[in-house]
Amino acid sequence: MSKIDYKAIGLKVGLEIHQQIESSHKLFCNCPPDLIEEEHVVLVRRLRPTRSEVGDVDPAALFEWRRGRYYEYESPLNTSCLVEADEEPPHPLNREALVVALAVARSLGSYIPDEIYVMRKIVIDGSNTSGFQRTALVAIGGAIEVNGKIIPIETICLEEDAARKIGEEGLKVKYRLDRLGIPLIELATAPVIESPEEAREVALAIGRLLRLTGRVKRGLGTIRQDLNISIAGGAKTEIKGVQRLELIPKVVHYEVLRQLRLIELRRELLKRDLSKDSITYNPVDLTSKLARSSSKILRRAVESGGVILGIKIPKMKGLLGFELMPGRRFGTELADYARFWAGVSGIIHSDELPGYGITGEEVNVVYETLNADPSIDAFIIVADIREKALKALSTIVDRIRVAFDGVPEETRAANEDGTTRYMRPRPGAARMYPETDIPPVKVTDELISEADKIKPEPLNVKLERLISKYGLSRELALEVLMDIRLDLIESLIEKYHERVQPSIIASIFVVTLRGLRGKGLDIEIITDKHLEEIVSYIAEGLIAKEASELILEEIAKNPQLTVREAIEKLGLRAVSEAEAEAVIDEIIREYIEEVKKRGLKATSLIIGKAMGKLRGKIDGRRVAEIAREKIEKIIGEHKT
Amino acid sequence: MDYYGYRGFIARILSSLGLEPGDYVRIIKSNGLVIEGILLPRYSLVDEPILVVKLKNGYNIGIRVDESDVLEKIGRVERGSPGAPVPLAESIEVGDKHVFILGCGGTVASRIDYETGAVKPYISPEELTLSIPELLKYASIDAEQLFSILSEDMKPWMWSKIIDETAKIISRGYDGIVITHGTDTMSYTSAALSFAFHRGLPVPVAMTGSQRSSDRPSSDASFNLVAATLVASNAPFAEVTVVMHGESSDTYALAHRGVRIRKMHTSRRDAFHSINARPLARVWPYDNRIEILDWNFRKRGDYSLAVDNGFDEKVAYIKHYPGPIAEIIDILVDKGFHGIVIEGTGFGHVSSDAIESIRRAVESGVPVVVASQTLFGRVNLNVYSTGRKMLEAGVIPVEDMLPEVAYVKLSWVLARTRDLKDVRVMMQANIAGEMSLRHDLNLYPRWVYE
Ligand SMILES: [Zn+2]
């Protein structure tokens, strides 16, 4: 990452963390909150924009509606019911989930109102069958301390997760209903974070706090981070759906870069003596000129009844290719806008030509037809049915004009590499009204005392307990506190500490698992169940503690294996003392000459050979002890 | 004292400060906590000193206040006038038919006040067509709200009012009428209209409603209304129908004959089913398509307008159950009811100890009509001796007629004659398609178990 003085440019980041809660059922119905591949029925629905008191509608919603967007829902029969299908009113708010949210609020010192109201927040991208997300404010205020800095919490909400998007074909968007209704806790910080790394650390600290309730889901997709990012002279950008913690610093950095570059682009536009008025919507039909082009994109569009439209962008040569983030140019932004607002598959701009099968000759023809100067002007081509192509070009003109103001307020989606793409305009005031099907929940003393039972204890208290009660070294205990599976480590130590040394359990996580990640293995797919089984096998003496690494490596490579299968595949069944002695006896017999010649100095050789056959099947220290005893005995006999 | 749902000292404080819903309020708790938001009315029936406030972020919360807390009024929500709704379609070619939409309950289009959560209906034709522009594809629209009542509050005198109004509208020359209605009692009203217009309905009357309220994006109200408008403007049949979702998806609606319909689910979009009959047609509102399923209908324009309005309001409708049914019948007769419809068990039976009560009813001039609580299938009082005794006592079995329809029909018949013999003839005659003498094997639902 290039060096940017984030403080100097006024970087302000706020986090919104969405964490799935572990519960016996969903937030507003009795379906299990699980994602399972299973048989489903299919529903087809449309969502009509709703109106507010002042007669207005959400422009993005109106646009989707006019286009004829419709939604196809897969309703798995065991994990979704009439409630998710919007065919039955919601059941009362899941009390278990509410207790988890209250516990988090209590540990952050937030204010909890006396009555909690479930609201309907209008969301009409189809991800909620009802057209709104049900959400309730559970607490306001509070704070978390991260590296000595107080990070204020703004709100804690309890809400339903959205349906899983599984695809898009033309006007149809496909969703699956299993995820819809899984309880989520949403926690928003104040925008006080001042560096990309701090954003990651705050997210980590909040994630850890949530996991410490022991009542949240873990694993990819169970926690999602949204980021609000702004810099001085830029604009507030909302970035949705960052699933991996490690990506956060990159996302923040790239967004800062993008805003800085947009500000730079603005300067460049002004320097070229351009103004909003210079960018005019003047589409020209290029179909006849380019119909015989060797470009597949153009030909296909024309063959399926489309047209090729072009527009001149005066004095902007080079600026459409102006890089905003690695691999993403101003032209890419324009294309994303055109895709969203006009539903075209893409655009072609002059800074990437010749290319896409369009020859230099054809580029000149376009310049000529558009009455443009190839040395200073730029142009954009869209090939699609006329209506869509016109809409795309007018959208593009509007977006270029906005570049004269600098950075627009947008909602963006995170890409896998940490860059982001335009998603939709930032929504205005939340369109929210009460969910009249659910009575308000009175926050009783019983609810609060239930919450206090699972309220996470402060980290320093936990640290001391790990050291004094379970005998972990301070270093190891600190590592455990930082580990993403802290809650699991704790519960395993508590359950097994009489039969397996707590430091051994801790090491499986902070040494073995991290080592495997270092080797490039995906340790995310190793489940809590896998890990607990390994510890229980060690406790029962069925495997040696050394076996855990081999087993975990095998499972990371073949996640469909159970622990038992991995043990069998690796031949790691623990051997008895007698079996181990027999193996060592045989090795000593093989190397008897060495032993006789070098005496005790041969011990390490014998241990090494023995470990080759016994690794993971019996405690290594025991192998060494047996080998030493046997060699001493032989030497003794030899001497006499 | 009740002040926008607040009671006790809160009501006193609020009214003394002149604080009303829509005002910005500041609450300073005795522990120093300050909360600001818009005051909302309190709808909860639980009497607690809790103030309901909408915060700036849009969420509502309830805050307990006691007499040591400070309340302040800090302003009022500035609200512009509602203004015209934004049209949902860019432009639309208006169909050449004319349809009248008569509102009799149930809200088909509405706007939400995000500040207070109130949902206000759109009623005027302009508002309706801006909100649901697809209506115009099929017809130009006139509209009027006759009632705005809850489905469960519907009464027979209101059927009469709807029938009079409908007749008036038809005489003004529309191509069809759409009547919006709450879904819970829609089948009673549709049956009432069917009997009242049985001699002369020149154009279709399509009743419709919604199972999901119109304030939500997923509401079925507009889909159903467009489908009903398609039926009213273009269907080849001139009958009273109920037009509602045909399946859970927004694909097609079904037009059911008004005397054969029953709401069979509390909440699903496709709650309405024709019982012991096929729907008249399948209707695709997005594709301008009507697929006829039952060709045995009265054609548009075959009849000129004729109305037989009027219902007897003293008719009882009871369900037989393993309890003191004889006593109930006696009470009804003693109370001077003009007729009784009994939903009998299975083939239509009542317990043998009730037969004497039935005999007494009939002898005192109160007709006793019998339908079945199984809904599907036909009443038959010849199979068992109880049934034969019931016949001998003078009950009027009504074949495969739905019990609710039998109730509406008896109310209508009794408004025309109280003569038991005439009542029997009319009840057992097929007047508006309410009964049939033949059921094929497919006329029965099956559930999917896998
Ligand atoms: Zn469910």
Side-chain angles (χ1 to χ4, degrees):
Chain A
M1 286 184 205
S2 54
K3 281 253 179 320
I4 294 177
D5 184 346
Y6 295 104
K7 250 197 181 130
I9 58 162
L11 173 64
K12 291 273 177 272
V13 182
L15 290 177
E16 205 177 273
I17 293 184
H18 303 86
Q19 166 75 62
Q20 287 182 353
I21 293 173
E22 191 73 76
S23 171
S24 58
H25 60 95
K26 290 184 179 178
L27 196 52
F28 297 111
C29 71
N30 268 50
C31 289
D34 301 320
L35 308 182
I36 302 169
E37 296 299 320
E38 59 167 355
E39 260 206 85
H40 55 256
V41 291
V42 172
L43 304 172
V44 176
R45 296 274 174 75
R46 300 183 188 218
L47 292 174
R48 180 176 292 264
T50 46
R51 299 170 181 292
S52 82
E53 179 65 352
V54 282
D56 65 334
V57 289
D58 178 17
L62 179 62
F63 172 71
E64 294 289 326
W65 170 262
R66 283 182 176 172
R67 262 173 78 192
R69 258 268 186 260
Y70 66 100
Y71 307 99
E72 188 177 290
Y73 297 105
E74 292 181 6
S75 170
L77 295 176
N78 292 310
T79 51
S80 71
C81 66
L82 287 184
V83 175
E84 289 92 328
D86 191 43
E87 285 286 35
E88 180 180 321
H91 303 186
L93 184 74
N94 176 340
R95 192 186 155 96
E96 261 178 85
L98 176 59
V99 166
V100 178
L102 290 174
V104 172
R106 294 282 284 175
S107 76
L108 291 167
S110 312
Y111 164 72
I112 297 168
D114 299 285
E115 256 179 2
I116 290 170
Y117 283 77
V118 178
M119 307 294 291
R120 298 168 169 175
K121 189 197 259 176
I122 297 288
V123 175
I124 95 162
D125 60 2
S127 61
N128 288 71
T129 46
S130 55
F132 47 73
Q133 181 192 35
R134 297 189 181 95
T135 171
L137 183 79
V138 166
I140 325 169
I144 186 167
E145 192 182 319
V146 183
N147 295 335
K149 176 168 163 184
I150 299 292
I151 308 289
I153 302 299
E154 288 188 336
T155 51
I156 300 173
C157 295
L158 185 59
E159 55 187 37
E160 53 182 357
D161 206 343
R164 270 202 283 171
K165 185 169 172 179
I166 51 174
E168 203 169 335
E169 293 160 30
L171 289 171
K172 175 169 83 182
V173 187
K174 287 174 83 171
Y175 289 97
R176 190 170 297 150
L177 296 184
D178 48 4
R179 202 180 69 183
L180 179 61
I182 291 184
L184 283 182
I185 181 166
E186 187 219 70
L187 199 150
T189 75
V192 298
I193 296 163
E194 294 169 307
S195 79
E197 190 47 35
E198 190 186 7
R200 192 189 70 86
E201 283 163 1
V202 172
L204 179 72
I206 293 172
R208 182 171 53 212
L209 177 85
L210 296 171
R211 285 189 298 275
L212 282 176
T213 59
R215 302 283 181 86
V216 303
K217 288 180 180 267
R218 195 159 2 75
L220 199 67
T222 60
I223 187 163
R224 297 191 296 276
Q225 283 97 6
D226 295 351
L227 294 96
N228 294 310
I229 304 174
S230 65
I231 63 171
K236 190 159 158 184
T237 303
E238 195 177 300
I239 294 169
K240 292 268 178 205
V242 183
Q243 297 209 358
R244 289 186 299 126
L245 270 183
E246 301 82 69
L247 212 55
I248 291 177
K250 260 190 178 168
V251 169
V252 176
H253 172 74
Y254 287 150
E255 177 55 23
V256 167
L257 211 60
R258 191 183 72 92
Q259 297 204 12
L260 289 173
R261 292 286 283 169
L262 281 171
I263 294 168
E264 212 174 306
L265 176 68
R266 173 174 182 270
R267 268 201 300 272
E268 181 62 29
L269 289 170
L270 298 178
K271 210 157 78 191
R272 293 193 187 185
D273 239 356
L274 287 163
S275 72
K276 280 190 190 187
D277 296 340
S278 343
I279 315 298
T280 52
Y281 174 59
N282 233 337
V284 175
D285 196 328
L286 303 168
T287 316
S288 60
K289 307 272 182 189
L290 294 175
R292 274 173 305 280
S293 167
S294 52
S295 159
K296 266 191 217 145
I297 304 174
L298 299 184
R299 270 213 328 267
R300 216 177 295 137
V302 175
E303 277 160 16
S304 48
V307 294
I308 305 168
L309 298 185
I311 192 166
K312 168 180 160 183
I313 316 286
K315 297 207 279 186
M316 276 188 63
K317 191 181 171 73
L319 294 184
L320 300 179
F322 188 83
E323 193 179 77
L324 300 176
M325 284 183 283
R328 299 189 65 86
R329 292 154 201 288
F330 186 53
T332 327
E333 294 286 299
L334 298 180
D336 286 345
Y337 267 77
R339 257 191 287 274
F340 180 81
W341 290 102
V344 297
S345 56
I347 65 168
I348 297 169
H349 62 79
S350 50
D351 288 346
E352 51 189 354
L353 297 178
Y356 299 112
I358 299 170
T359 63
E361 185 98 345
E362 284 162 346
V363 171
N364 289 336
V365 170
V366 173
Y367 268 115
E368 205 172 300
T369 317
L370 293 176
N371 215 349
D373 179 348
S375 63
I376 54 168
D377 294 337
F379 64 77
I380 287 169
I381 297 175
V382 178
D384 212 307
I385 58 167
R386 179 176 294 274
E387 201 184 326
K388 281 161 83 178
L390 286 171
K391 177 84 188 160
L393 288 175
S394 82
T395 302
I396 286 167
V397 166
D398 290 343
R399 176 63 188 90
I400 295 176
R401 286 180 181 155
V402 170
F404 289 87
D405 302 328
V407 189
E409 292 216 332
E410 289 173 347
T411 298
R412 301 180 65 85
N415 296 321
E416 273 298 300
D417 63 354
T419 59
T420 58
R421 62 185 186 278
Y422 175 74
M423 208 169 144
R424 54 169 189 254
R426 248 172 71 76
R431 290 160 187 276
M432 212 158 10
Y433 66 113
E435 169 55 273
T436 41
D437 296 340
I438 300 169
V441 182
K442 197 177 149 198
V443 180
T444 57
D445 294 343
E446 288 104 291
L447 267 175
I448 295 292
S449 72
E450 273 178 59
D452 282 344
K453 275 184 214 142
I454 57 163
K455 182 176 93 176
E457 65 185 337
L459 284 182
N460 53 345
V461 175
K462 202 176 283 292
L463 179 72
E464 290 315 317
R465 202 159 46 81
L466 287 173
I467 295 169
S468 59
K469 182 164 176 199
Y470 295 119
L472 297 192
S473 70
R474 185 161 290 270
E475 291 81 354
L476 190 55
L478 278 169
E479 289 293 331
V480 168
L481 284 190
M482 293 303 292
D483 199 277
I484 190 152
R485 290 180 169 90
L486 168 57
D487 55 315
L488 178 62
I489 305 177
E490 263 199 295
S491 72
L492 291 180
I493 287 181
E494 196 169 316
K495 188 162 167 192
Y496 293 100
H497 70 274
E498 280 165 2
R499 288 179 290 164
V500 184
Q501 257 184 53
S503 61
I504 290 175
I505 298 173
S507 301
I508 291 174
F509 292 84
V510 305
V511 180
T512 312
L513 272 185
R514 288 189 207 172
L516 293 176
R517 189 173 57 195
K519 282 193 196 170
L521 290 168
D522 181 7
I523 60 167
E524 289 273 355
I525 48 185
I526 295 171
T527 62
D528 290 9
K529 192 160 167 272
H530 284 137
L531 290 157
E532 165 145 21
E533 267 175 30
I534 288 174
V535 174
S536 77
Y537 285 151
I538 296 176
E540 286 160 31
L542 292 174
I543 53 170
K545 68 175 197 293
E546 286 79 0
S548 59
E549 181 173 356
L550 298 167
I551 296 167
L552 288 170
E553 184 167 353
E554 191 60 34
I555 290 170
K557 287 175 186 159
N558 303 295
Q560 80 286 356
L561 289 183
T562 63
V563 171
R564 183 168 291 280
E565 284 163 349
I567 290 172
E568 267 159 31
K569 191 170 171 205
L570 294 164
L572 284 180
R573 193 185 55 83
V575 296
S576 67
E577 195 102 327
E579 285 171 300
E581 280 191 42
V583 171
I584 295 169
D585 280 342
E586 202 186 310
I587 291 168
I588 293 179
R589 255 200 306 285
E590 199 179 322
Y591 294 95
I592 190 69
E593 289 313 314
E594 284 290 303
V595 172
K596 284 179 180 166
K597 201 158 70 200
R598 296 174 53 200
L600 271 177
K601 283 182 186 142
T603 311
S604 60
L605 168 78
I606 299 301
I607 292 173
K609 295 285 172 192
M611 284 308 287
K613 290 193 172 169
L614 293 171
R615 187 183 311 281
K617 299 182 188 181
I618 188 168
D619 190 334
R621 277 176 307 190
R622 196 64 200 119
V623 174
E625 279 165 22
I626 296 171
R628 190 168 297 111
E629 275 168 30
K630 288 194 182 288
I631 291 170
E632 277 169 359
K633 203 169 160 209
I634 290 168
I635 296 168
E637 279 166 7
H638 191 59
K639 276 180 182 159
T640 54
Chain B
M1 160 178 197
D2 183 287
Y3 187 77
Y4 299 103
Y6 293 101
R7 273 163 247 166
F9 75 94
I10 293 205
R12 278 198 306 278
I13 296 175
L14 291 177
S15 69
S16 71
L17 290 172
L19 264 165
E20 286 182 16
D23 287 340
Y24 284 106
V25 61
R26 180 183 296 136
I27 303 149
I28 307 168
K29 303 276 293 172
S30 46
N31 63 6
L33 183 80
V34 178
I35 291 167
E36 291 180 3
I38 299 167
L39 180 70
L40 297 179
R42 182 163 172 84
Y43 295 113
S44 171
L45 300 176
V46 187
D47 187 13
E48 296 249 13
I50 290 180
L51 212 60
V52 185
V53 163
K54 186 181 201 69
L55 303 176
K56 215 162 82 191
N57 59 18
Y59 283 96
N60 293 4
I61 57 170
I63 305 159
R64 180 177 296 276
V65 289
D66 50 53
E67 297 186 60
S68 58
D69 299 333
V70 178
L71 297 185
E72 286 170 3
K73 179 172 170 172
I74 52 175
R76 194 167 170 79
V77 179
E78 286 303 321
R79 189 133 358 128
S81 62
V86 180
L88 290 194
E90 271 159 308
S91 66
I92 211 154
E93 207 172 305
V94 182
D96 54 2
K97 304 284 172 47
H98 304 286
V99 165
F100 197 98
I101 299 178
L102 184 63
C104 298
T107 309
V108 288
S110 57
R111 59 181 189 266
I112 305 162
D113 184 343
Y114 290 108
E115 301 296 353
T116 62
V119 176
K120 297 178 185 171
Y122 276 143
I123 298 164
S124 78
E126 295 74 30
E127 290 170 334
L128 275 182
T129 51
L130 284 170
S131 282
I132 313 175
E134 309 95 291
L135 295 171
L136 294 174
K137 261 198 323 200
Y138 301 125
S140 63
I141 302 293
D142 285 324
E144 185 196 307
Q145 189 82 8
L146 185 60
F147 310 114
S148 160
I149 56 156
L150 297 171
S151 198
E152 58 269 31
D153 292 336
M154 189 55 77
K155 291 283 186 268
W157 67 264
M158 298 178 187
W159 303 339
S160 294
K161 209 164 165 217
I162 297 171
I163 289 160
D164 278 344
E165 197 63 31
T166 304
K168 246 186 267 167
I169 295 164
I170 292 173
S171 66
R172 278 155 58 191
Y174 285 91
D175 294 294
I177 318 293
V178 171
I179 297 176
T180 67
H181 196 288
T183 55
D184 285 357
T185 57
M186 182 147 54
S187 65
Y188 292 88
T189 308
S190 68
L193 266 77
S194 302
F195 293 118
F197 287 109
H198 81 282
R199 281 193 302 124
L201 190 62
V203 296
V205 172
M207 296 188 66
T208 192
S210 68
Q211 289 281 82
R212 291 285 92 71
S213 60
S214 64
D215 54 272
R216 46 173 96 204
S218 65
S219 172
D220 56 336
S222 51
F223 177 94
N224 290 338
L225 190 66
V226 176
T229 303
L230 172 54
V231 168
S233 59
N234 284 302
F237 45 79
E239 299 221 15
V240 176
T241 55
V242 167
V243 181
M244 292 287 286
H245 260 75
E247 55 178 7
S248 185
S249 289
D250 292 338
T251 43
Y252 64 86
L254 288 168
H256 305 270
R257 193 167 257 137
V259 283
R260 288 299 206 172
I261 187 74
R262 202 164 190 284
K263 184 175 180 179
M264 299 297 281
H265 198 277
T266 55
S267 58
R268 286 181 64 127
R269 287 166 172 74
D270 54 356
F272 283 83
H273 291 271
S274 284
I275 309 287
N276 293 330
R278 286 189 167 70
L280 273 179
R282 209 177 253 134
V283 182
W284 276 267
Y286 298 129
D287 309 330
N288 187 8
R289 190 151 66 92
I290 297 175
E291 178 197 351
I292 300 296
L293 299 172
D294 179 357
W295 284 95
N296 183 19
F297 55 73
R298 298 186 181 185
K299 286 212 283 292
R300 184 188 274 275
D302 269 8
Y303 293 79
S304 48
L305 181 65
V307 195
D308 290 314
N309 202 354
F311 298 86
D312 188 314
E313 300 222 14
K314 206 130 173 79
V315 176
Y317 168 28
I318 61 174
K319 184 181 190 115
H320 182 272
Y321 65 106
I325 204 76
E327 217 173 304
I328 293 176
I329 295 170
D330 289 344
I331 293 170
L332 292 172
V333 173
D334 294 345
K335 283 269 177 193
F337 274 75
H338 299 165
I340 303 172
V341 174
I342 302 178
E343 250 191 63
T345 63
F347 278 131
H349 295 131
V350 297
S351 58
S352 6
D353 64 353
I355 293 176
E356 274 321 300
S357 299
I358 290 177
R359 190 187 312 278
R360 179 173 160 256
V362 176
E363 278 168 4
S364 40
V366 178
V368 178
V369 172
V370 172
S372 175
Q373 49 188 250
T374 64
L375 307 178
F376 288 95
R378 190 183 306 284
V379 167
N380 190 326
L381 297 179
N382 297 312
V383 180
Y384 296 105
S385 62
T386 308
R388 291 191 287 270
K389 284 180 194 151
M390 286 169 69
L391 286 175
E392 187 260 330
V395 300
I396 306 170
V398 288
E399 296 289 339
D400 63 343
M401 199 189 305
L402 281 166
E404 295 93 334
V405 174
Y407 157 70
V408 175
K409 187 175 179 184
L410 184 59
S411 307
W412 179 76
V413 167
L414 286 175
R416 338 222 91 65
T417 175
R418 296 285 297 279
D419 180 90
L420 278 188
K421 229 189 250 156
D422 290 346
V423 169
R424 175 181 295 269
V425 169
M426 286 177 80
M427 283 307 293
Q428 293 185 328
N430 185 6
I431 288 179
E434 70 275 19
M435 51 172 78
S436 65
L437 296 175
R438 200 180 155 263
H439 292 173
D440 65 62
L441 275 166
N442 277 339
L443 207 58
Y444 187 61
R446 262 143 298 197
W447 280 266
V448 182
Y449 295 111
E450 261 119 59

